[in-house]
């Protein structure tokens, strides 16, 4: 485990994500727009790093979360809307670094997530 965030790797992940969500059927997106959106993603994510590290977890899991969002949830034409990203990131961080106690009913969903993760890992 490392307690140091690789900021360049996180920036690269955010840039990759920005490329996907701005790919509105155009081969070229303005470099300024791309960099601005990537920076907005980065600023949202980096705020989670201290809490993740305080929980004894590798803050670089945030970079992996961005790549997961890129693979599983980012769609071209999402554009510069950030709300989907914020909500998804909060959910992923809570799954990876639990910060709240769950009821039996809410916690039962974790078993569904566990099965899905096992299936996804089996597909790698």
């Amino acid at each position: 485990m490392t307690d140091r965030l690789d900021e360049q790797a996180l920036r690269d992940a955010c840039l990759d994500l920005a490329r996907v969500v701005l790919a509105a059927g155009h081969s070229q997106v303005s470099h300024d727009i791309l960099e601005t959106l990537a920076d907005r993603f980065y600023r949202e994510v980096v705020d989670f790093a201290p809490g993740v590290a305080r929980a004894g977890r590798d803050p670089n899991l945030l970079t992996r979360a961005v790549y997961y969002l890129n693979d599983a949830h980012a769609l071209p034409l999402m554009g510069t809307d950030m709300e989907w990203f914020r909500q998804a990131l909060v959910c992923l961080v809570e799954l990876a670094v639990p910060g709240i106690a769950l009821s039996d009913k809410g916690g039962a969903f974790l078993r569904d997530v566990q099965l899905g993760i096992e299936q996804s890992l089996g597909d790698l």
Side-chain angles (χ1 to χ4, degrees), residues 100-110:
I100 57 171
L102 300 173
S103 67
D104 288 341
K105 290 179 181 179
F109 179 68
L110 293 179

Side-chain angles (χ1 to χ4, degrees), residues 33-109:
I33 293 171
L34 187 65
E35 289 288 329
T36 298
L37 183 58
D39 187 60
R40 288 174 65 197
F41 287 144
Y42 174 83
R43 285 184 280 126
E44 288 286 334
V45 178
V46 79
D47 286 344
F48 285 90
V52 170
R54 276 193 305 274
R57 300 294 303 277
D58 177 4
N60 293 295
L61 72 82
L62 297 167
T63 301
R64 296 186 291 273
V66 172
Y67 279 119
Y68 173 82
L69 288 173
N70 195 2
D71 288 351
H73 298 283
L75 299 172
L77 303 174
M78 289 178 116
T80 58
D81 176 46
M82 294 289 294
E83 194 56 33
W84 74 272
F85 180 73
R86 286 183 190 106
Q87 296 301 320
L89 186 62
V90 166
C91 184
L92 291 177
V93 170
E94 180 60 33
L95 284 170
V97 186
I100 57 171
L102 300 173
S103 67
D104 288 341
K105 290 179 181 179
F109 179 68

